């Protein structure tokens, strides 16, 4: 089952982006095992690794680490959106908010809006693209928002 | 070998924090295997998973995913700093910057400065604490900065 259809035309290079473009993609299952495995490796707080202890937490049950949700966002970006030939690097990300709990058996998808696309003043072969990201669960509730900064190569033939 | 000494007195509750307090802790090794394993799971771009392809990237060699560095930051926080009895949740994180590459055989540590500590106006049993975080490598170069927002319980005996 695909919650969200694949993108018809994947943006490959800086030239393919324009402010206001919206893309929807991804369908990542979140299992209890995966939540606990990620928690044990990186975020060992009781509500990420121990279902019984999690019941007594403010969450009332096991929830995914926000870093796990962030990593699943990245998995969706790489699987469905980022072009390996176009993307050069990311200097960082702004204003991550974990707005609702991610729980076992959720399925996550993504809405990505181009907030800005500006060519580099110093390096004409690249530009900076800002993605406003929303991660949604199967009920279309927003579980995470963030603004990601990416550096894209201009198209090889680009004279724009 | 510990790059950074353990904290003498771990802050447990909201009451233990004050603006300007500085804490240093952590000593996380980063192996090539761990970089590739994280990359294969979540961030499959060539420069995180393929040492040969990485040589031809802007990084000139294998580098850790920024999300891997973020997850290692969280591991250091949970291992050395966050008190399970005091920390309630995190609504998010601001302004992550991956300022230098994290490479195989690096060792990461952390400098954490309290940027703000404010009691909740509506819920007197808790308060919001902002951590300004720097992640450093073994040469004391800053590889990542971020501001994390955490919600802490006030001390059980707190009348402050």
């Amino acid at each position: 089952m695909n919650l969200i259809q694949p993108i018809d035309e994947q943006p490959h290079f800086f030239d393919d982006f324009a402010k206001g473009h919206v893309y929807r993609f991804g369908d990542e299952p979140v299992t209890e095992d995966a939540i606990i495995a990620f928690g044990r490796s990186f975020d060992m707080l009781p509500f990420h690794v121990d279902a019984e202890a999690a019941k007594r937490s403010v969450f009332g049950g096991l929830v995914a680490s926000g870093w796990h949700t962030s990593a699943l966002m990245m998995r969706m970006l790489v699987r469905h959106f980022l072009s390996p030939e176009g993307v050069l690097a990311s200097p960082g990300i702004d204003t991550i908010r974990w707005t609702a709990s991610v729980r076992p058996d959720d399925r996550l998808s993504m809405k990505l809006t181009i907030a800005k696309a500006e060519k580099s003043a110093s390096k004409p072969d690249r530009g900076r693209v800002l993605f406003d990201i929303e991660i949604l669960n199967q009920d279309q509730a927003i579980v995470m928002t963030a603004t990601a900064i990416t550096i894209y190569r201009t198209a090889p033939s680009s004279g724009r």
Side-chain angles (χ1 to χ4, degrees), chain A:
Chain A
M1 184 193 71
N2 257 2
L3 288 179
I4 298 224
Q5 293 305 309
I7 297 162
D8 288 338
E9 203 174 340
Q10 196 197 24
H12 286 286
F13 294 106
F14 173 78
D15 316 69
D16 298 326
F17 293 103
K19 186 177 170 169
H21 281 182
V22 178
Y23 305 86
R24 293 167 189 269
F25 52 92
D27 179 18
E28 281 298 321
V30 182
T31 65
E32 178 167 327
D33 284 354
I35 288 174
I36 292 174
F38 190 99
R40 282 190 180 148
S41 289
F42 298 114
D43 191 345
M44 307 77 82
L45 291 172
F47 37 78
H48 300 315
V49 297
D50 180 338
E52 282 307 309
K55 287 184 190 163
R56 301 187 297 272
S57 76
V58 292
F59 301 106
L62 204 65
V63 292
S65 165
W67 300 108
H68 189 189
T69 307
S70 305
L72 292 173
M73 171 191 77
M74 191 65 204
R75 187 193 281 173
M76 287 190 271
L77 279 168
V78 179
R79 279 202 177 144
H80 304 286
F81 192 74
L82 296 174
S83 146
E85 56 195 326
V87 71
L88 285 171
S90 170
I93 189 154
D94 286 334
T95 327
I96 292 179
R97 290 295 177 274
W98 296 299
T99 49
S101 300
V102 174
R103 296 176 187 274
D105 304 322
D106 278 357
R107 299 188 78 96
L108 304 182
S109 65
M110 193 154 162
K111 179 185 173 191
L112 186 158
T113 307
I114 305 304
K116 194 182 274 193
E118 54 188 6
K119 253 190 147 167
S120 166
S122 55
K123 296 179 180 167
D125 67 336
R126 62 192 68 181
R128 212 169 66 110
V129 186
L130 266 60
F131 301 153
D132 276 348
I133 290 170
E134 291 176 356
I135 308 294
L136 303 105
N137 67 15
Q138 65 286 353
D139 302 321
Q140 305 306 308
I142 297 171
V143 299
M144 174 174 161
T145 59
T147 300
I149 311 163
T150 49
I151 309 296
Y152 265 82
R153 221 186 279 278
T154 50
S157 58
S158 172
R160 285 173 274 189

